[in-house]
Amino acid sequence: MSFESLGLSAPVLQAVAEKGYTTPTLIQEKAIPICLMGRDVLGCAQTGTGKTASFVLPMIDILSEGRSKSRMPRSLILEPTRELAAQVAENFEIYGKYHKLNMALLIGGVSFPDQERALERGADVLIATPGRLLDHFERGGILLNDVKILVIDEADRMLDMGFIPDVERIVATLPPLRQTLFFSATMPPEIKRLADRFLSNPKEVTVAPPASASKNIVQGLSVVPEEDKREALRNLIKDQNIKNAIVFCNRKKDVAILQGSLKKHGFNAGALHGDMSQPARMETLEKFKQGEIQILVASDVAARGLDIAAMSHVFNFDVPFSPEDYVHRIGRTGRAGNTGHSFTLASPEEGGLVEAIEKLIGTTIPRVEVPGMQTVEFEPSDGRRRGRGRGRGGSSSGRGSSRGKSGDSSRSSRAPRPEREPRPEMDARPEAEARPPREARPERDARPPREPRPERSQRESRPEREQRPERESRPPRDRRPERSDRPRHDRRDRDDTPAPMGLGDHVPAFLARPTR
Ligand code: AMP
């Protein structure tokens, strides 16, 4: 099927052709004609499937008729993270280059006045994270009763991040007569219920079995003692032919520690997590996209949707709590026909989490050995740890020197080494990724405000809402293994000392007095 057969306008087709896309992806093929008909869409699709263009392209054509009023956007796209919102904005710029659509991007960590100006100008397309949108709404800076198209993207991620109450509040302020496009990578019952409430007679579009891992990703998993993970990661990085890689951690503070450790060992590493300021996040991401940073240590804020050209490797320094997050994390590589590699470092007590992932993806992740490292097995339910493979065998110098010696290979093989030849840049995304977010660009179609604004003092007296920090990666609602109950083997570099129990070291004098 060709793009021409989907019913898109000539200027949109030209922009698509200039981007270099010749054939629509499956989600584009299925969703675009339905969107153009004005029908609601319930899309079950992951990032990496071409999902963004499947709603951006028809929206450009639908919105090309008509003009927006000041502070009354004509369409609204809700995204769970700032990075995803910025990425959707980039898509509008690329595909909407032959249209005069005004866009406003409302994300946290960026100054309000710029965003207010973009709203005043009148936004045909408003792309926002829920918290910052509500901030503007509560300040009286925006009216949502002119929204004709609503897109809720990554609904299951919204659920994981606790944004659903905000989304419900926002949707309650929209006109009931509208077109709604609802996308989610998975359809757990909570999401299905939400879709049933928000959508009206939707056409369902599913392009891949929920949460299946791409066939283009060569996966590997190694069980190593928690305290050896950093060394294992370094060995893996040295052993692989890495172009660029993301290393995922479950905890924000581990991100910073691991980045520091990698830098100390001479690696070109950056960090990305939700506690960083938005400008710092954007800057780091830009450097990573441009190749100035080779290894990005990140929390799950980077797990979904980030579209980095031809990313060669993903490492899971921790097994994610949620099996779906595993699919999203490794989905950062192996995109657009490229082959990618993912390695997961599991500690012996993370067997339950790995089992849940393997159940979800319907296959066993191949066990691989990390060069020069001892591999162990998952703890059996009785809590005993069994060593196996080519351990250090009591020799403290055994790590490096044991490289290449054969061990118990009954279940595992050496981490597969990719070819050393330079890899072709199949997924080159040239200028688009280097661009700043849209609201930083010069105004295209400035128009005088048509409606009186509320008093500035009134607007500015409100506290900024979207200061909420990114939530730590957390186990899903009902699949959470009883992790916190289990004793964790100490990770040497962790700084979360256990909370004192009882009286701790301090015993009051009256208790220490001998009794008669
Ligand atoms: P998404 O799922 O929207 O994050 O898109 C994943 C990647 O596929 C992005 O790099 C897009 O630019 C790219 N892409 C989108 N549509 C097409 C297409 N029709 N042909 C080739 N690549 C595409």
Side-chain angles (χ1 to χ4, degrees):
M1 186 178 266
S2 68
F3 274 107
E4 282 72 19
S5 60
L6 298 179
L8 294 163
S9 70
V12 168
L13 289 174
Q14 190 173 340
V16 168
E18 282 169 20
K19 176 74 180 141
Y21 299 152
T22 48
T23 326
T25 64
L26 202 53
I27 181 90
Q28 291 162 3
E29 203 179 296
K30 289 185 174 184
I32 290 174
I34 303 166
C35 293
L36 287 172
M37 274 189 256
R39 277 194 67 177
D40 283 6
V41 172
L42 174 58
C44 191
Q46 313 174 34
T47 57
T49 54
K51 168 171 62 90
T52 316
S54 80
F55 61 83
V56 169
L57 299 181
M59 277 179 79
I60 292 170
D61 273 345
I62 295 169
L63 294 167
S64 65
E65 305 285 320
R67 281 169 77 89
S68 62
K69 300 185 197 106
S70 177
R71 294 188 293 111
M72 294 182 76
R74 297 165 63 209
S75 65
L76 170 64
I77 300 172
L78 291 175
E79 292 288 336
T81 67
R82 302 163 185 184
E83 282 76 11
L84 278 173
Q87 218 162 261
V88 172
E90 281 175 6
N91 272 259
F92 265 100
E93 285 186 355
I94 295 166
Y95 302 124
K97 65 204 251 194
Y98 297 114
H99 288 81
K100 277 196 180 303
L101 293 179
N102 276 348
M103 184 167 57
L105 178 63
L106 305 187
I107 54 176
V110 179
S111 85
F112 271 91
D114 287 350
Q115 298 181 348
E116 281 166 352
R117 269 193 293 278
L119 289 173
E120 267 171 33
R121 205 163 69 219
D124 299 298
V125 184
L126 177 61
I127 304 163
T129 48
R132 180 52 73 101
L133 176 64
L134 282 173
D135 287 339
H136 280 276
F137 188 75
E138 284 164 7
R139 288 168 177 231
I142 186 170
L143 290 164
L144 295 174
N145 12 359
D146 205 26
V147 170
K148 306 274 189 321
I149 307 174
L150 166 70
V151 179
I152 298 178
D153 197 17
E154 300 278 329
D156 53 349
R157 181 71 174 157
M158 300 258 198
L159 181 71
D160 282 346
M161 294 174 82
F163 286 162
I164 294 302
D166 283 354
V167 173
E168 286 175 319
R169 279 191 60 203
I170 292 165
V171 176
T173 66
L174 302 178
L177 213 61
R178 57 164 198 267
Q179 182 179 14
T180 306
L181 315 173
F182 186 103
F183 293 93
S184 191
T186 55
M187 281 294 162
E190 302 98 306
I191 292 297
K192 188 75 181 66
R193 271 197 297 276
L194 209 63
D196 289 344
R197 274 178 42 212
F198 293 166
L199 297 162
S200 158
N201 188 24
K203 183 94 175 109
E204 286 193 32
V205 176
T206 301
V207 294
S212 60
S214 160
K215 290 187 179 63
N216 295 342
I217 305 168
V218 181
Q219 301 175 58
L221 181 141
S222 191
V223 189
V224 292
E226 184 71 38
E227 60 273 18
D228 288 348
K229 277 191 176 178
R230 285 197 288 175
E231 185 182 355
L233 178 68
R234 290 197 296 273
N235 290 3
L236 268 176
I237 292 174
K238 283 182 206 152
D239 186 61
Q240 295 285 309
N241 183 20
I242 289 180
K243 175 179 174 281
N244 48 7
I246 295 191
V247 182
F248 283 104
C249 297
N250 286 355
R251 297 168 188 78
K252 282 176 271 184
K253 60 177 174 290
D254 286 343
V255 169
I257 293 167
L258 186 59
Q259 182 218 7
S261 160
L262 285 170
K263 281 178 89 167
K264 209 173 78 194
H265 282 86
F267 294 97
N268 174 4
L272 186 77
H273 59 77
D275 280 354
M276 290 162 63
S277 71
Q278 189 57 23
R281 275 162 73 166
M282 290 302 208
E283 191 189 329
T284 302
L285 204 53
E286 199 51 44
K287 282 186 177 163
F288 186 55
K289 285 179 175 179
Q290 297 303 320
E292 289 170 44
I293 292 173
Q294 188 195 18
I295 298 164
L296 185 66
V297 187
S299 64
D300 278 293
V301 75
R304 288 218 191 182
L306 282 195
D307 194 20
I308 312 287
M311 172 117 67
S312 70
H313 286 73
V314 165
F315 296 96
N316 289 313
F317 190 70
D318 298 300
V319 181
F321 295 131
S322 148
E324 285 90 3
D325 278 345
Y326 175 82
V327 180
H328 290 296
R329 287 180 180 188
I330 71 169
R332 298 312 93 221
T333 182
R335 289 164 81 80
N338 290 322
T339 300
H341 293 80
S342 85
F343 292 100
T344 299
L345 294 172
S347 59
E349 64 268 33
E350 286 175 327
L353 294 173
V354 171
E355 213 174 282
I357 291 168
E358 292 180 333
K359 195 167 157 216
L360 178 78
I361 62 175
T363 174
T364 305
I365 306 169
R367 304 303 193 254
V368 295
E369 284 180 10
V370 181
M373 295 300 297
Q374 177 196 33
T375 50
V376 291
E377 285 187 358
F378 286 125
E379 276 175 5
S381 44
D382 62 7
R384 277 184 292 119
R385 191 194 286 189
R386 282 173 283 158
R388 97 180 156 76
R390 90 186 143 218
R392 281 168 232 165
S395 154
S396 58
S397 63
R399 278 186 203 193
S401 58
S402 66
R403 239 180 116 125
K405 285 182 201 160
S406 68
D408 173 6
S409 57
S410 58
R411 285 186 63 221
S412 69
S413 59
R414 180 83 192 280
R417 284 177 78 126
E419 299 294 310
R420 292 264 164 194
E421 302 95 64
R423 291 149 40 81
E425 292 272 342
M426 288 169 69
D427 186 24
R429 285 167 48 94
E431 77 297 340
E433 284 166 352
R435 290 190 193 175
R438 162 81 184 226
E439 82 279 19
R441 304 184 74 204
E443 299 185 10
R444 206 194 268 179
D445 189 14
R447 267 177 262 145
R450 294 182 189 169
E451 297 201 10
R453 299 177 63 198
E455 284 302 303
R456 177 160 283 274
S457 57
Q458 185 194 334
R459 284 181 287 124
E460 285 179 353
S461 61
R462 305 253 186 159
E464 184 173 344
R465 178 192 175 97
E466 211 192 85
Q467 293 293 354
R468 81 184 82 185
E470 170 208 6
R471 293 193 182 195
E472 295 280 6
S473 164
R474 66 181 175 84
R477 300 148 294 285
D478 45 6
R479 234 173 288 146
R480 180 178 195 158
E482 312 87 77
R483 188 184 171 88
S484 53
D485 304 342
R486 287 181 278 114
R488 256 183 93 87
H489 289 273
D490 272 351
R491 181 181 288 173
R492 258 186 273 135
D493 53 338
R494 285 213 297 162
D495 59 359
D496 51 345
T497 45
M501 292 179 64
L503 296 167
D505 290 339
H506 173 71
V507 180
F510 77 91
L511 279 181
R513 232 181 280 139
T515 50
R516 299 242 164 97

